[in-house]
Amino acid sequence: MFNQKTQAKTAFDFEHTPGPLTKPEGDNSITVILTVYQRSEYIQKQVDALRAQTVPPDEIWVWCNSSDKLIPDVSAIVDRVIISNSNYKFWGRFALASMARTTHVALFDDDILPQPKWIENCLNVYANGTEGILGGSGPLLEPTGGYSSKNKIGWNGHHLDEIAQVDLACQTWFFKKTYLKYMWFEDPLTWENGEDIHFSYMALKHGGLKTWVPPHPESEPERWSCRPDFGKSVGRTKDAVYKSAGHHDIRDGIVENYRRDGWVVVSAQ
């Protein structure tokens, strides 16, 4: 029962309390959203990597889903922290992105460590005239069938010198905030998984926006979306979501449903 005597208290005594949200000046403003769920031990490295970008973000936010592990107070190292008493899984951070006041939003999984020129790399793609969702890793789906990630472009796939179209972006996203509206034009087929598939397909279907992976040249790893040794070691831990039961079956079903809806993947064009 609600107790009026405790209504002035908060559940979390944050070390840092931010000021009001303001709209930054300039067209290249950026809000980064990180997540804390099961693997909070990596967030300091991520924040350090983001502060060290050649084009650092204007603000870094952290979205915390309800977890069976203790959620640490990271307010001292980032700009804003949002803690939920419900587990909105992969979708909460995208909903939160709608609150950003910046031109661009970047989202990172907790096992991604961007290299110093990654944000600059993404901004250059837009500056060169390409529109769409940008990702650090992008699968090319098979011409028929369900989900497949065996053919990827990006930090953990083919390292190309040029921008490449893919079917969806995984692990890290960079996009103009105005693109986010397409994600919510239709409810997802399931709230359990597949936010990456849904976002790319909805943006393509309703906005005509393709999904791209910026260049990841072998000779310029500083432009990569993730330091490979970090992503591969952290991503293989026992808490990795992709190892959960039913993960692949859910993603297969989403892709197959969207194909029936009219999705023509890159390999079938």
Side-chain angles (χ1 to χ4, degrees):
M1 180 180 293
F2 174 69
N3 186 344
Q4 285 187 330
K5 293 181 179 180
T6 63
Q7 67 179 358
K9 295 181 179 180
T10 58
F12 295 89
D13 185 14
F14 291 113
E15 182 176 349
H16 168 70
T17 301
L21 274 170
T22 58
K23 182 176 176 58
E25 296 181 1
D27 293 333
N28 286 341
S29 56
I30 303 157
T31 298
V32 164
I33 299 177
L34 304 175
T35 60
V36 167
Y37 177 58
Q38 299 281 12
R39 301 183 289 192
S40 60
E41 63 267 31
Y42 304 115
I43 193 167
Q44 182 69 65
K45 291 182 182 292
Q46 288 187 298
V47 170
D48 291 344
L50 289 165
R51 302 290 190 201
Q53 292 284 303
T54 54
V55 183
D58 294 85
E59 290 208 355
I60 299 176
W61 298 0
V62 171
W63 166 264
C64 305
N65 271 317
S66 176
S67 173
D68 56 5
K69 292 188 177 182
L70 182 65
I71 298 173
D73 179 9
V74 299
S75 63
I77 63 171
V78 299
D79 297 289
R80 302 180 193 277
V81 177
I82 298 87
I83 295 179
S84 170
N85 68 350
S86 300
N87 184 356
Y88 290 100
K89 299 195 174 182
F90 313 99
W91 304 90
R93 54 187 173 171
F94 283 93
L96 175 62
S98 299
M99 298 293 291
R101 304 293 197 270
T102 52
T103 305
H104 305 90
V105 179
L107 278 64
F108 294 85
D109 283 358
D110 60 7
D111 55 357
I112 296 298
L113 193 69
Q115 295 305 277
K117 292 187 176 181
W118 170 243
I119 290 179
E120 179 183 345
N121 194 6
C122 292
L123 290 173
N124 285 340
V125 169
Y126 286 148
N128 290 332
T130 298
E131 298 294 326
I133 299 167
L134 308 183
S137 176
L140 290 169
L141 301 176
E142 298 297 316
T144 60
Y147 179 76
S148 173
S149 61
K150 65 181 181 180
N151 187 13
K152 294 192 291 270
I153 296 172
W155 77 267
N156 59 349
H158 301 292
H159 303 150
L160 304 182
D161 293 342
E162 303 294 334
I163 188 173
Q165 185 185 352
V166 293
D167 291 306
L168 61 141
C170 299
Q171 303 170 338
T172 178
W173 297 258
F174 191 97
F175 51 89
K176 295 179 180 179
K177 184 193 165 185
T178 54
Y179 298 163
L180 191 60
K181 62 185 177 184
Y182 298 114
M183 189 170 201
W184 312 113
F185 271 34
E186 299 178 27
D187 279 349
L189 297 171
T190 172
W191 294 98
E192 294 299 309
N193 204 300
E195 82 293 351
D196 48 359
I197 305 170
H198 184 75
F199 189 23
S200 285
Y201 179 53
M202 290 296 108
L204 183 64
K205 177 180 178 180
H206 296 290
L209 296 170
K210 299 176 181 178
T211 299
W212 307 88
V213 172
H216 280 69
E218 288 281 3
S219 60
E220 297 179 83
E222 64 271 17
R223 296 170 67 187
W224 290 18
S225 55
C226 184
R227 198 181 78 198
D229 63 307
F230 182 87
K232 291 178 180 178
S233 62
V234 173
R236 283 200 295 264
T237 63
K238 65 181 178 64
D239 292 323
V241 175
Y242 73 85
K243 294 185 178 182
S244 61
H247 175 87
H248 290 292
D249 290 343
I250 292 173
R251 295 174 73 79
D252 275 346
I254 295 170
V255 170
E256 289 168 355
N257 268 279
Y258 287 161
R259 286 185 192 273
R260 289 192 290 271
D261 188 54
W263 190 12
V264 179
V265 301
V266 174
S267 63
Q269 294 175 10

